Amino acid sequence: MARTFNGTSDHIAFGSDVAYDQLATFTAYALLRPTATVTAEKQVLSKMTSSYVGKMYIALIANDKIFCYINRMTTDCTSASANNTLVTDVWNVVIVTWAGVGSAPVVYRCELGGTTTNVTSTSTAGSGSLYDDSAAQLRLATRDPLDATFYGGGMADCALWNRVLNSTELADLGLGKSPEFMPSGLVMSSRITGTASPEINAAGGTNGTVTGTTFLTHPAVVYPGGITAKRAQYARRRQS
């Protein structure tokens, strides 16, 4: 199972952890099934304090754009896709990579099972040192202020690496392979099964405290061992 987030209060908090505090380079990944057109900013994977210091690894903004925002001390670092990049009522593979200070984030997207494509439309590398985000919690579907940017819709696997994935790894994520096949630099990974609370961080760090959400059928992701999420659900039913 995955989870549906209500867009007003549902979220999962993975806390502050030395493994993903103050990342100087990263790859962020999420499987999303939005249920309505995005008309205002919504958070997907964020590490941002109540003073709005930190990183919005994956966010959504009006007109179904995918957006990334990183605080810099002089000029902030941002990237966004074109209008209508995110597609409603299908499972979207969304990936953002950042090679560190001096570069701009790169946004990728495809429908699950498709070809991972660079969909970056606008970007700025920004300037100055990074602000310290270690005080912020890593959250799914919101950020520390718990403001009016809660994500609404389905969400399944999410992950964060402390490096930029290569082209083969990015392609494999688009085809439906789990982040667990790419353990190098993996600092947070959760299948968002919808059957456990807390949600397990398979990378070994802080597990995710669940607030609200409802169960949702999980998309067909392939995990180590050759089993897909759908086959795992069938096997559990057979054993019960």
Side-chain angles (χ1 to χ4, degrees):
M1 303 292 281
R3 291 184 186 267
T4 297
F5 295 74
N6 64 8
T8 57
S9 59
D10 292 350
H11 64 282
I12 303 177
F14 285 86
S16 178
D17 193 299
V18 293
Y20 41 74
D21 289 345
Q22 197 62 5
L23 292 182
T25 183
F26 65 79
T27 298
Y29 155 86
L31 277 177
L32 304 176
R33 187 181 176 91
T35 53
T37 298
V38 178
T39 59
E41 181 185 320
K42 303 297 177 185
Q43 296 298 318
V44 175
L45 181 60
S46 178
K47 198 171 193 297
M48 182 164 280
T49 71
S50 294
S51 299
Y52 299 96
V53 171
K55 301 178 181 72
M56 292 157 35
Y57 292 106
I58 299 176
L60 311 174
I61 55 177
N63 300 311
D64 292 318
K65 291 183 178 182
I66 302 165
F67 183 65
C68 176
Y69 173 91
I70 302 165
N71 274 147
R72 300 281 298 278
M73 288 187 177
T74 303
T75 306
D76 292 330
C77 183
T78 64
S79 284
S81 69
N83 288 347
N84 306 313
T85 298
L86 196 73
V87 180
T88 303
D89 293 327
V90 303
W91 283 105
N92 297 255
V93 176
V94 178
I95 305 168
V96 177
T97 65
W98 185 55
V101 169
S103 65
V106 181
V107 181
Y108 299 87
R109 183 268 169 196
C110 69
E111 187 171 340
L112 183 61
T115 301
T116 307
T117 302
N118 182 343
V119 293
T120 311
S121 179
T122 59
S123 63
T124 177
S127 60
S129 301
L130 292 172
Y131 283 102
D132 186 355
D133 66 10
S134 58
Q137 293 202 55
L138 183 68
R139 295 181 186 266
L140 304 184
T142 189
R143 56 191 174 197
D144 280 5
L146 304 181
D147 55 13
T149 60
F150 284 92
Y151 165 76
M155 190 183 305
D157 300 59
C158 295
L160 190 62
W161 291 259
N162 63 11
R163 65 181 178 92
V164 173
L165 298 188
N166 62 43
S167 58
T168 299
E169 292 168 322
L170 295 172
D172 283 347
L173 289 174
L175 291 171
K177 289 187 99 172
S178 164
E180 296 167 32
F181 284 103
M182 305 148 207
S184 175
L186 186 63
V187 294
M188 177 271 179
S189 180
S190 185
R191 299 182 182 185
I192 315 299
T193 63
T195 59
S197 182
E199 286 283 359
I200 301 303
N201 180 353
T206 305
N207 293 327
T209 300
V210 179
T211 298
T213 75
T214 55
F215 296 129
L216 177 66
T217 300
H218 202 286
V221 174
V222 180
Y223 296 109
I227 192 166
T228 67
K230 289 181 182 292
R231 286 176 56 201
Q233 292 168 21
Y234 176 75
R236 285 195 295 271
R237 288 196 298 269
R238 292 270 296 180
Q239 292 166 4
S240 62

